[in-house]
Amino acid sequence: MPAVLFRSPNDSSEAWRKSLSERVPGIDFRADPNIGDPADVEFALVWKVPAGYLKQFPNLKAICSLGQGVDHIFADPDLPRGPHIIRLVDPWMGRAMAEWVLLQVLRFHRQGPEYEDLQRRKEWKSLPAPETSTRRVGILGLGALGAEAATTVAALGFDVAGWSRTRKSIPNVTSYAGPDELDAFLARTDILCGLLPLTPETTDLMDAELFAKLPKGAFVVNSGRGAQLVEDDLLAALDSGHIAGASLDVFRTEPLPLDHPFWTHPRVQVWPHVSAQTNADSGADQVAENIRRVFAGEKPINEVDPDRQY
Ligand code: NAP
Ligand code: GLV
């Protein structure tokens, strides 16, 4: 059997070796740096490998992301052309992300930051209670993760819309599509949640111009990718009061540098890229199936279109 290469700075090679060995009898699983002869490797299971790393495998048939995003693969200027590019689409991660987005929406909706300030000042004071059905939540990206987050938030009675490249039909979620409908989507959004893939089109999308199109007092949540958000523009919008608060799980540089102003900003909550973590148990069935398919010369599932880059 051809070899499966594993390399990730985040994920446990032993956990993946175990979960794949249970599903692919006789698997030749090689965790970097113990790769042996690179010519044996036909399937690469990777997360954030250095640029140029993958071109050393001359017989690669598939490159599989150890996450739902594939921007780390397309970032390689020497990415071999020809292998299938595959990603995880894991229902477990979909649920985790929906929980995280719901947590942020509820925190802002129920004035969490204001009550945390009051507690710090030992002030016993009630604020006017907000009405759920009038709180407008907007999800950027209605794919595997965005659609589940939107449905989950809508189930509690929020007024939910989503923005995507193509029109969607999701019960209780208003669909906005394409650049022409972005302004209308932003104008009706009190809590903006970013769940887009990082592509040339989405890089720097959340900038000063976009923040200005949100209603005054809107909140910004991002768990897509850090490079979609211009961090200085968000700081300026927070400091002017136009944006009332932000919850961020992804950053332009990760880990977030120790001197970054987000760490101590009173209106920013920092999460260390954990909203939907890769899970070697729930993710292994589809990876095992793709190893089987690729080695049999069949089309894999969850293949990414290299032209769209997501
Ligand atoms: P997906 O299924 O590929 O969905 C992507 C969505 O974004 C689709 O609805 C797509 O529109 C939309 N989109 C892409 N480019 C667009 C553009 N230029 N304009 C408007 N809409 C656009 O991806 P996913 O599985 O939901 O994951 C989304 C991202 O979440 C990943 O790429 C990754 O960056 C991030 N993520 C983060 C974490 C974390 O822990 N923070 C975990 C997993 C994933 P169409 O449907 O019309 O094509
Ligand atoms: C995590 O960020 C992922 O893309 O799965």
Side-chain angles (χ1 to χ4, degrees):
M1 183 185 292
V4 173
L5 165 88
F6 177 95
R7 177 166 170 160
S8 166
N10 290 12
D11 305 278
S12 157
S13 59
E14 284 319 301
W16 278 95
R17 183 192 299 280
K18 180 172 180 295
S19 59
L20 289 177
S21 300
E22 286 163 4
R23 292 164 173 85
V24 186
I27 187 172
D28 181 358
F29 182 93
R30 301 188 188 174
D32 185 274
N34 301 314
I35 56 180
D37 182 353
D40 298 341
V41 172
E42 293 192 10
F43 192 103
L45 187 56
V46 292
W47 181 254
K48 290 190 178 170
V49 297
Y53 175 80
L54 290 166
K55 74 175 179 198
Q56 70 179 298
F57 304 103
N59 297 317
L60 211 48
K61 292 201 170 75
I63 301 166
C64 178
S65 173
L66 273 160
Q68 298 219 172
V70 285
D71 48 294
H72 62 104
I73 294 174
F74 289 111
D76 182 350
D78 287 324
L79 183 66
R81 300 205 171 271
H84 299 284
I85 309 291
I86 305 168
R87 70 188 191 108
L88 298 183
V89 180
D90 183 349
W92 189 93
M93 293 174 75
R95 190 86 306 259
M97 183 59 82
E99 285 170 5
W100 187 83
V101 168
L102 184 62
L103 180 65
Q104 309 318 316
V105 166
L106 289 176
R107 176 169 176 265
F108 288 132
H109 173 62
R110 292 303 305 262
Q111 301 137 310
E114 289 91 333
Y115 282 112
E116 287 155 22
D117 281 351
L118 287 167
Q119 178 176 352
R120 270 189 289 275
R121 297 202 299 272
K122 298 186 179 171
E123 246 186 87
W124 185 272
K125 180 180 159 188
S126 54
L127 304 169
E131 169 55 44
T132 313
S133 64
T134 62
R135 184 76 81 173
R136 299 163 301 176
V137 178
I139 315 272
L140 287 168
L142 284 177
L145 298 178
E148 180 155 1
T151 303
T152 302
V153 173
L156 283 194
F158 289 96
D159 178 358
V160 180
W163 182 71
S164 45
R165 217 172 36 80
T166 56
R167 181 86 50 214
K168 304 292 174 200
S169 179
I170 303 172
N172 304 316
V173 178
T174 308
S175 165
Y176 290 79
D180 291 349
E181 297 183 11
L182 180 58
D183 288 4
F185 164 81
L186 295 170
R188 54 73 61 209
T189 291
D190 301 315
I191 304 177
L192 180 73
C193 304
L195 264 174
L196 287 164
L198 183 64
T199 67
E201 288 76 37
T202 64
T203 300
D204 295 334
L205 180 77
M206 286 176 263
D207 63 359
E209 205 184 322
L210 180 145
F211 298 136
K213 290 173 181 164
L214 291 167
K216 183 170 165 47
F219 300 97
V220 172
V221 175
N222 191 26
S223 50
R225 282 290 181 265
Q228 291 155 350
L229 188 144
V230 181
E231 295 177 344
D232 285 344
D233 288 3
L234 177 61
L235 285 167
L238 285 162
D239 292 345
S240 76
H242 185 73
I243 297 298
S247 261
L248 306 172
D249 184 52
V250 287
F251 303 88
R252 296 188 93 92
T253 304
E254 295 180 4
L256 189 64
L258 291 179
D259 60 352
H260 198 290
F262 284 162
W263 279 118
T264 50
H265 197 291
R267 295 277 159 210
V268 178
Q269 197 173 71
V270 169
W271 290 71
H273 199 144
V274 289
S275 49
Q277 299 181 67
T278 294
N279 179 315
D281 287 322
S282 62
D285 283 343
Q286 61 192 277
V287 176
E289 172 63 11
N290 272 335
I291 291 170
R292 187 196 67 71
R293 286 182 182 222
V294 168
F295 289 174
E298 296 170 19
K299 190 176 159 39
I301 51 172
N302 303 327
E303 187 165 10
V304 174
D305 176 350
D307 293 328
R308 285 194 331 192
Q309 298 199 6
Y310 73 91

